[in-house]
Amino acid sequence: MAGIEDYALIGDCETAALVGRDGSIDWLCWPRFDSDACFTKLLGNEEHGRWLIAPKGATTQTSRRYRDKTLILETRFETESGAVTLTDFMPLRRATSDIVRIVKGERGSVEMCMELVIRFGYGATVPWVSRCEDGTLRAVAGPDMILLRTPAEVHGEDIKTVARFTVGAGDVVPFVLSYQASHIPIAEPLDAPTALGETEAFWHDWSAKCSTTGRWDDVIIRSLITLKALTYAPTGGIVAAPTTSLPEQVGGERNWDYRFCWVRDATLTLLCLMKGGYYEEAGAWRDWLMRAVAGSPDQMQIMYGIAGERRLTEWQVPWLPGYENSVPVRIGNAAHNQLQLDVYGELMDALHQARRGGLEALGADWDLQCEILNHLETIWKEPDNGIWETRGGPQHFTYSKVMSWTAFDRGVKSIEAFGLSGPLDRWRAVRDEIHETVCRLGYDSARGTFVRAFGSKTLDASLLLMPAVGFLPPEDHRIQGTIAHIERDLLADGFLRRYNTEEAFDGLPPGEGAFLACSFWLVDAYLMQRRFDDAHRLFERLIGLCNDVGLLAEEYDPKLGRMVGNFPQAFSHVALINTALNLARVSKPDERADRQADPAATAAGG
């Protein structure tokens, strides 16, 4: 089975597909990211769905790239008899959602094969395949329908659709696979060359809006394009990843569905979009956040569906063996109903940054924020499941309390900066109380470090964000000691784990890779300590983990030398963008405005 890093991403800003180096599309959800009408070869085998276009015989060399500043993938196959280029892309959505694959002969003559295995319902449902009068192949199962249009001669073989054809230099053979609901008339065909030109123009125009300039522009632009591809355009929501159940440890059970939108990604996502010059996307993300959390504050969730759905019931798919036998394969995410106090701080911070960034305020957003803080005031002393969504029972996680402090701090600053109405003195008092509590119960004075949870002797990487949110200044001895202990306890082969899974506090078997976003946080911490050489060295190692087309997964296994976790991961790319921009501005390394420790709050914490 191909490695996770062997895949590239194509998408239409409503769904996405993963394309392997061998020319096989092995993961695709239609008609949207979280749909169950999909190929699932990544989680099963080719009998569960795939679409392969490749030379019939052996290849002597395979190379690939994205066309400059686009999401159009080109894979070049060299054989003994010639060379061909396979161009893969998804045009922006029309009446149907389409994948276009164009085979072009470059030199000589190459025998090609096409194999299409269509399975709906996560690889379980074999559709009924028929041929329309115009030659269009139609596959239907219940509400789902897929159409294949191509001039190549196709036929059925062993419950799959196949074609064998030869291309010479200059020959062009297009394939267009379209999804639409089965109960509506078949849509008009798509012209592949026209769609290619329009798609390339869209991505060039979009990339040209990027306002960054500097040493790492290429990786920043690629990450921004990836983030755009993970956006569900109709609502503005951004999924954490387009995949589910790619394991955090190969062969293990830390396999989660990430095709949802996390509130905790809010601030960093908003900032990287605004700093990149993409205010329209930032505004759409902010608007999605407000719609998703709207309602009673005591029902606020940590994650939502791409349209703001709240019921994300987790279930397992027993007929799929999982990626490299990593089971279970999970659909939905049970963590959606956990209490995680940190998300209140992320939401308040994101909305504060939106105001500072000049995004036009929504009519009722401040009223909702006030109600959220009123609710948080009643629950911040409770234990929760924490930023890492542990399943070992609630604890008093230090970072959760820090972000509760952040929520009230941003409420205070919003009143002070924008003249909004609210109980300023009360929120200041709550902010100070939380600060004092964290410094008293979350700090191990004997060891000189903040700890993962009150009373714990261990750390986790989220503590690196304490100076970034302004809880304490980076030069404070308690922050200095915490960073030193994190380096000592959580660095593994030069990359940072989010915590030590061997401690078994999270209710799961031990073992996972280094968490890439945390490693970028360590770069930011180095910058705040003015350890510029260390920061540059680690950052270069991290961007060196990007695969050949610039994509990152959630984690990296340094022992196996391969990516693990869902792919591509929005949070990894968001962290990359923000850290790259911080490196470019080393004179002011953390630009999360107002993320400097409030003098009064610092004094309150001792």
Side-chain angles (χ1 to χ4, degrees), residues 348 366 369-371 373-374 377 405 407-415 421-434:
M348 290 295 297
W366 179 246
Q369 287 179 262
C370 290
E371 288 301 315
L373 287 183
N374 288 340
E377 188 175 353
W405 174 91
F408 286 100
D409 181 73
R410 300 313 185 257
V412 167
K413 286 182 166 62
S414 293
I415 292 174
S421 177
L424 184 60
D425 291 339
R426 193 177 88 225
W427 288 354
R428 282 174 174 163
V430 175
R431 179 183 66 176
D432 292 350
E433 182 184 1
I434 298 174

Side-chain angles (χ1 to χ4, degrees), residues 571-589:
F571 205 40
S572 296
H573 285 280
V574 166
L576 184 158
I577 294 165
N578 281 298
T579 299
L581 293 173
N582 287 342
L583 278 165
R585 301 177 177 92
V586 291
S587 61
K588 188 180 180 183

Side-chain angles (χ1 to χ4, degrees), residues 405 409 427-441 450 470-473 476 478 597-606:
W405 174 91
D409 181 73
W427 288 354
R428 282 174 174 163
V430 175
R431 179 183 66 176
D432 292 350
E433 182 184 1
I434 298 174
H435 200 284
E436 187 277 332
T437 301
V438 170
C439 291
R440 177 167 47 87
L441 299 178
F450 283 98
F471 186 84
L472 286 171
D476 187 283
R478 291 165 291 188
D598 182 275
T602 304

Side-chain angles (χ1 to χ4, degrees), residues 395 397-399 450-453 456 458-460 463 503 505:
Q395 299 183 41
F397 289 103
T398 300
Y399 182 70
F450 283 98
V451 291
R452 171 178 54 80
S456 172
T458 60
L459 292 81
D460 80 67
L463 300 171
E503 296 160 5
F505 76 90

Side-chain angles (χ1 to χ4, degrees), residues 389-556:
E389 299 170 3
T390 59
R391 301 194 176 194
Q395 299 183 41
H396 290 284
F397 289 103
T398 300
Y399 182 70
S400 295
K401 309 303 185 186
V402 167
M403 292 308 293
S404 296
W405 174 91
T406 301
F408 286 100
D409 181 73
R410 300 313 185 257
V412 167
K413 286 182 166 62
S414 293
I415 292 174
E416 294 172 338
F418 302 105
L420 299 171
S421 177
L424 184 60
D425 291 339
R426 193 177 88 225
W427 288 354
R428 282 174 174 163
V430 175
R431 179 183 66 176
D432 292 350
E433 182 184 1
I434 298 174
H435 200 284
E436 187 277 332
T437 301
V438 170
C439 291
R440 177 167 47 87
L441 299 178
Y443 183 72
D444 185 338
S445 57
R447 297 172 61 209
T449 180
F450 283 98
V451 291
R452 171 178 54 80
F454 293 177
S456 172
K457 294 296 183 183
T458 60
L459 292 81
D460 80 67
S462 65
L463 300 171
L464 289 171
L465 297 176
M466 294 177 71
V469 301
F471 186 84
L472 286 171
E475 61 271 13
D476 187 283
H477 70 279
R478 291 165 291 188
I479 296 297
Q480 299 276 2
T482 301
I483 294 172
H485 277 80
I486 286 174
E487 288 182 279
R488 188 190 69 186
D489 295 350
L490 296 181
L491 274 174
D493 299 302
F495 301 107
L496 201 64
R497 298 174 294 167
R498 54 181 171 172
Y499 55 81
N500 185 359
T501 62
E502 303 295 329
E503 296 160 5
F505 76 90
D506 61 4
L508 295 164
E512 66 173 11
F515 202 83
L516 293 179
C518 295
S519 295
F520 285 112
W521 297 347
L522 183 57
V523 176
D524 295 334
Y526 287 156
L527 287 174
M528 285 185 271
Q529 291 184 312
R530 306 191 68 79
R531 295 167 58 181
F532 299 134
D533 289 344
D534 290 338
H536 280 83
R537 188 160 40 245
L538 178 53
F539 183 77
E540 292 290 351
R541 287 196 69 195
L542 286 168
I543 62 174
L545 299 181
C546 293
N547 71 0
D548 58 316
V549 288
L551 302 180
L552 288 172
E554 179 184 30
E555 299 181 7
Y556 177 76

Side-chain angles (χ1 to χ4, degrees), residues 354-376:
R355 287 191 184 92
R356 286 185 56 87
L359 293 182
E360 184 178 353
L362 299 174
D365 59 349
W366 179 246
D367 291 339
L368 179 57
Q369 287 179 262
C370 290
E371 288 301 315
I372 286 172
L373 287 183
N374 288 340
H375 176 63
L376 181 59

